[in-house]
Amino acid sequence: MVQIGIKVLVHVVYVVIGEYTFAVWCKGRKKKEKAKDKEKQHGFNEKAFAPRSGRRAEKQGRRAAERDQTRLHVPLVDRTPDDQPPPVVIAIVGPPGVGKTTLMKSLVRRYTKQTLNDVKGPVTVVSGKKKRITFIECNNDLNSMIDIAKVADLVLLMIDGSYGFEMETFEFLNILQSHGFPKVIGILTHLDLIKKAATLRATKKALKKRFWAEIYQGAKLFYLSGVLNGRYPDTEILNLSRFISVMKFRPLVFRNSHPYLLADRIEDLTPREEIRESKGKCDRTVTIYGYLRGTNLRHGTKVHIPGVGDLDVKTVSMLGDPCPLPDADSEKRRKLSEKKKLLIHAPMSDVGGVVYDKDAVYINVPGSFTRGNAEVPQGEGERMVMDLQDVGSTLEDRMARSQIKLFGSSSKPLEAGPSRLPDDSDDDGSDEDGLDVDDEDSEDGDDEDDEADEDELEFDAADSEAEEEGADQGRSAPRRVLRAQERASNTHQGREIDYADSDSDLGDDPGDEDDLGGGSRRVRFGEEDNEVDVHSDEEDEDAMSDEDVPQWKSDLASKALSAYKQHSRRANRKDWIKLIYSSSLTPQQVLSDTPSKSSKADRDMDDDFFTVKSEAVLGGGDDEDDGDRSKEVLKEEDFKEWEDEELLDSIRGLFITGTAEPAEGEEGYEDQEGGGDFEDLEADGDAAEKTVDPEAARAAELAAKKEALKKKFDEQYDDPEASKMDFYEEKKDEMARQLQINRAEFEDIDPEQRALVEGYRPGTYVRIELANVPCEMIENFDPLYPIVVGGLLPAEERFGFVQVRIKRHRWFTRTLKTNDPLIFSLGWRRFQSIPIYSLDDHSIRMRMLKYTPEHMHCFATFYGPVALPNTGFCAFNSLSNTAPGFRVTATGVVLDIDRSSKIVKKLKLTGTPYKIFKNTAFVKDMFSSALEVAKFEGANIRTVSGIRGQVKKALGKPDGAFRATFEDKVLMSDIIFLRAWYSIQPRKFYNPVTSLLLSEKGEWAGMRLTGQVRREEGLKTPLDANSTYKKVERAPRRFNTLKVPKKLQAALPYASKPKIMKPQSKQTYMQKRAVVMEPEEKKAVALMQQIRALRKDQIARRKEKQEERRAVHRAKVAKEEEKKDGKDKEKRKEYMRVAGMKTKREQENEGGRSGKRRKKED
Amino acid sequence: MTSTNNALLFSGHQYLRNRLVLSILSGKPVKIDKIRSGDKNPGLRDYEISLLRLLERITNGTVIEISVTGTALLLKPGIIAGGSITHECPLSRSVGYFLEPVITLAPFAKKPLNLTLKGITTDDHDLSADIIRTVTLPHLQLFGISEGLELRIKKRGSPPLGGGEIQFLCPIIKQVRTLNFVEPGKVKRIRGIAHAVRISPQFSNRMIEASRSILNRFIPDIYLYSDVYKGDDSGKSPGYALSLLAESTTGALYCAEATSKPGTAPEDIALLASRALLTEIRRGGCVDRKHQTLVLLMMVLGSEDVGKCRMGEPTPRTIQFLRDVRDTFGTSFKIVSAESPNPDAVELVYSCYGTGYVNANRSLA
């Protein structure tokens, strides 16, 4: 049946193919005919786009090339693994009431077909066969926005279409920009509130334009029309999800060099008792769950939780993926199956009735969950809870009443009663005189069991250690014997010996503990050892004298020896990793083939514990100065072997001139060396290989030869340019190759070992245990505020002076002042510090600026945690929501890290001359002592008028006066100043923003500005009398006339002689003459005079008139102005009224957080 | 070995240089105690003090505290500053002792280093200036540190009085390139420098003759230079030495050196050096025993990729170094044996995942 079916199918296919080819053939023919028929072509006309001239062609070519280059980006290595990438973090950001939760619910519904009631914290869903998404909603707190901006891969930026952009949106965009711009999709909502189509179109257009200006031209902006059933329309959400799924993410530099994690869930592991004792104020041990992102998380990495602080990672453990990708065999289909679609991981939200809190798991059950409610479906859990409600007596009572029947048939039950007591007390007593391990434990009733457990554990650990040392044969058996013996004699004694044993082991190498890793019990024993060992040693000796040396110990050396001999047989096969990293042998012992020394050392330590260790044991070095020399001592005896000709010949193969196969000679030589059996093994292997595959070898050789020939041919005949990659391609290729190597290298190691070598890879779901977490983090935990765990590079744990390039934000209204505290968001951290602004003064000095310049970058230096150069940051004056205006104060980038700073500030010392000789003057009031002057001898000084000079020497009489010389004579009225540079250091102030530790997360208050403090304390600004501005009274300067002595004048050449002439005393020719006019002339002059008078009068009158008209106009304008002002006032009043109502409503809604804000009531 | 309140704790005077270097590079404070505490002459030696001084000058903000007895030491590292520095080395060790740690630090400095060291240039404890110039510095080129890397031997100085002077120039880099060096190749050339100061220049020629008598049979491409320093440049004491290096087709370098001892003929010195070189060649691997730690350190500091290198059996120094690296950087190596052409040589492939160390000291301003 099946066969037939297939055949039929094949036929059909064949037919189809046949038809297709036929059709194509027909088409081709038709086309040809057509081409013949018509000259006109359809589609792309080559000629139309051909350049008209050579120059234009060149221009076009250049433009094409340039456009091609814009496509290229610096190749970056993507450190996220391809096979199991971590979920993409999609943050939903926007002002309150814009519909973030609705969008989140809609998207989650789209991916998982589940409806979330209460969205809190991150929600992870499977979105495709190889893709997962973590959604997180960002609240309106600036701290949260900063943290989210640092981890989000894609931001869904929500904008209220009926209202427009809000300040927070722009603030968030600026934060994004300074922390490496992740992808942004804009989403316009509330568009249904705009009723008129034309207005809608205009609004969309305007908002889009602004959005593009902010992100980039052509950035995607989505429109969501309205809300249906509490969700956005399904088709629109589907489209949005499609856009999300095709999104490509370019790795961001900072995230590509730091491991980080967005906490899914947080759990408090602190023992309840400790919390109770300290009334909840003790430091907590906290575990945080989440997917690792970024780079590998190594051992010993410190982490920073923004809002909490730097924390030590206690342990990291890999967990099973709570939201796994569909695996290959379950998913053969192209699409994600419906079953997989249901997968969702949202521990802090209410999914499937289970909510994880910081210290509890809540199970939500429909209906009222009380007894007697029969409608409630009763599962196993529910029934248990119901039963618990039934309990009438306390646990203690029930314990007292409880009975154990050893056998089902036994008639009388065993009783947990007073019969055990004497034994117990005995145990206690011995405990106290021997060693005091666990006081609390020994008080308990079931103490002995515990101890026995511990004993066993100890033995196991010791066993495993012994195995690790390499002597794994025959050691376990004697141990068992010993245990049996000791059990028989005295449990207590047994423990003692055991401690002693473990002590010596531990004493050898504390590093061992680390390797053994997680066993917390084990580690605890190690710690206790310190107190214990003196006792135990005594006891140990006692034990030895009393009984005997334990059997397993007696032949320890010989056993180790034999084991080692076996080891050295295979020197080549040594497990170097184990020997180096997890054995306590000294380096010399690792290398030496005989273990005698090591075992001797061990015994030494056992026997005479109190003797001072010899240098050899301590350091492992034989002679004193051997330690730090890099060259080995050349001893002639060592090289005697080279006198042998055969040996010389044997290494010919290692030179290019030598023969290809030196195997023969070498083997001969090795036999002489006398390392018999080992070489035999090798030789055998070689021989076997040779016999097995000569043909295969020949084939391989042939293949290689062919390959080489082909390559040669290709090189000769192919276009050499075609095969050559350009720089960009080459780099990309190199990266790909390196990634390949990375993947291949550790593929075969087991995951635990692999984590040791390369750390935990991104994409794994881990549980990070953090020690010493401030209790406020747990107490004030709020799942609405994201918790980001950022790994720190070794450099970033340190503190220093950070020099940054900074620019005040254009929208921030005030200038920034040196020594005013500023909140930085740099790297993972948010902290307050005190910057000093400076500018580079002609590359000579860094000169302090009191205020940041307008519209220009300047430098700032502050004390704080180091960040790598080229890291971007943004700064704020205040993070609180009540701060008015634009809160992003400045943005910039880190330039330099140092332990000292070189900023100087200008200092002018002034003085006045009190005695003047020709070019020399005595200056006072600049310094206060001769010593100070001595410091400044030779310094350049200057008068205000610009005469330059030099400090020469201190004078005796007035303290601090000195002699100075100038290039010209100075005046007594001159002020003389010395320009000096005074170096200043930024204050060492670092205050992390611990917003997550507060109950009111937005209310973090750091160091305040001086003005703010004064305002809040009601203090007046102190006024220094010397600093007030007073009117400067300057008497007009009178200059004496220049008098050139007559003698000198006479000696001057004519050109230089002052040409001062006396005023003319005699009347000139014209003045002497009287003028008599003719009658006509007289008349004309008179007429002219009259006309002028008339004209004057006319102008005056005209002016008067104009003034009148103007006055009328002014009055009119004033009237109008008044009217307009009134209108404006009305408008403002109306606006404020609406705003007031809005805030009032918001405040009302704050409790329920269901703040749906409707702005367009008016 | 265990870290208590953030400081690494070591004991013993051995491996001091490596530990200081690791501390400065990682920025973790290091505390070393029991420095020759059981010795008749306890505490730090003069050359160790001198080294600490030198490190303090190369760095900025380093705090070094030495206990009263000199048996304990606490170093809180600052940043590596670089710049132009002159240092007078004591006559108890040669300049190689001081230069080795500096070579590993200098590429990560703020400014290019220009270091002048005065003292003994060649002795039989540490790498001589010749070896460092011809072998150690080329090893740095594997990691992308090449432009401007230079060692100038201005004057030679033999023990006991020294009087030599060298100048070390090192550029700064942003990040170390990842190493992938598993092909040792075959020896293609042998070079050498023979020098004789304050004695007859004939000595160096005699050494060259003797060395050639052994090496000529293997390869024709042998150039042994006779390096002549006259007058003031030749230091204060007489001495001679022969340093040899063999280079393979893939760039692996093997080196050996022998220095003059009273009462030995130059021919014997030459034979010693040549045979030591042959031993080194026979050991195989891509990196010789003297430079294992340098190469391993640079691999650890590489970008976050897998670096691989083939070397011989680790020396005791290397083993301790690997342990110290694990404590400071948290990086452990994967060490597996490689199949080598001659079965008696232990050849191992060391691979590690680089820490992605970026030169944070580098200034952009």
Side-chain angles (χ1 to χ4, degrees), chain A residues 1070-1082:
Chain A
M1070 282 301 287
Q1071 280 167 346
K1072 273 190 252 172
R1073 298 293 173 276
V1075 180
V1076 181
M1077 278 188 256
E1078 295 290 311
E1080 274 93 61
E1081 224 174 349
K1082 226 182 209 171

Side-chain angles (χ1 to χ4, degrees), chain A residues 572-587:
Chain A
N572 219 352
R573 307 244 180 294
K574 265 187 195 172
D575 189 351
W576 287 100
I577 302 176
K578 200 168 265 180
L579 277 174
I580 290 174
Y581 288 122
S582 45
S583 80
S584 57
L585 300 172
T586 61

Side-chain angles (χ1 to χ4, degrees), chain A residues 298 630-631 657 666 896-897, chain B residues 78 100 110 218 257 342 354:
Chain A
R298 311 294 196 86
S630 34
K631 218 152 77 172
T657 47
E666 283 202 353
D896 191 18
I897 309 299
Chain B
E100 276 176 60
K110 187 179 285 298
F218 294 113
E257 189 182 41
N342 58 336

Side-chain angles (χ1 to χ4, degrees), chain A residues 79 298 580-581 585 624 628 630-631 634 645 652 654 657 666 742 745 798 895-898, chain B residues 17 36 47 60 78 100 110 125 187 217-218 257 304-306 308 323 333-334 342 351 354 364:
Chain A
R79 304 256 175 229
R298 311 294 196 86
I580 290 174
Y581 288 122
L585 300 172
E624 213 273 312
D628 231 358
S630 34
K631 218 152 77 172
L634 301 181
E645 284 295 318
R652 271 186 198 281
L654 297 174
T657 47
E666 283 202 353
N742 293 356
E745 183 64 21
R798 308 158 77 183
L895 296 178
D896 191 18
I897 309 299
D898 212 335
Chain B
R17 287 185 297 170
R36 299 195 184 86
Y47 54 86
N60 181 16
E100 276 176 60
K110 187 179 285 298
H125 296 301
V187 175
R217 72 171 67 206
F218 294 113
E257 189 182 41
E304 289 188 86
D305 291 308
V306 171
K308 276 168 127 180
R323 289 174 177 176
F333 277 79
K334 180 183 156 194
N342 58 336
S351 54
L364 292 177

